[in-house]
Amino acid sequence: MANWRSLGKAFWAVDGALGGQRRPTRTQKWAARHPIGLGFCVAIPLTLLLLMLSREEEPDDPVFAVFAGLAMGLVFALSAVLERLRQRRLRRLGMWDGS
């Protein structure tokens, strides 16, 4: 259990060093409120772009396009969840009123 706590402390220390104590912007608030929507907003255009760029003679290109789009969508959705945790922590510490 101590390892998880030290990992959390390390995460918040890095976040604070990178400016995590500042108020979130309007875009950050939207991303934190809609992590799945953000993932889809990234995954769908990237998948369509990769499908348009795929070669017809390569049967694996469409599969790669779908998996690459899903992977990028997942990365963006998880970063939005981390932003949600940061905003929750700012509210809990009294540094931001949530507006």
Side-chain angles (χ1 to χ4, degrees):
M1 189 62 134
N3 291 337
W4 288 108
R5 287 186 188 148
S6 62
L7 184 63
K9 286 182 181 180
F11 172 77
W12 293 121
V14 170
D15 182 62
L18 295 174
Q21 305 298 329
R22 290 182 289 182
R23 295 174 54 99
T25 63
R26 203 166 85 193
T27 307
Q28 288 173 321
K29 288 186 228 177
W30 184 89
R33 289 180 184 140
H34 309 287
I36 295 173
L38 177 66
F40 280 129
C41 285
V42 171
I44 292 171
L46 181 64
T47 301
L48 292 175
L49 174 70
L50 291 175
L51 283 173
M52 286 178 20
L53 296 175
S54 67
R55 297 166 291 183
E56 291 181 13
E57 62 270 2
E58 291 292 328
D60 292 338
D61 280 355
V63 175
F64 172 76
V66 170
F67 282 124
L70 288 174
M72 285 304 294
L74 183 65
V75 166
F76 273 75
L78 289 176
S79 66
V81 169
L82 289 176
E83 177 62 27
R84 180 183 282 189
L85 291 174
R86 184 184 81 87
Q87 291 178 16
R88 186 179 298 164
R89 181 172 184 264
L90 288 177
R91 269 188 246 134
R92 188 181 70 234
L93 295 176
M95 296 179 176
W96 178 52
D97 60 357
S99 61

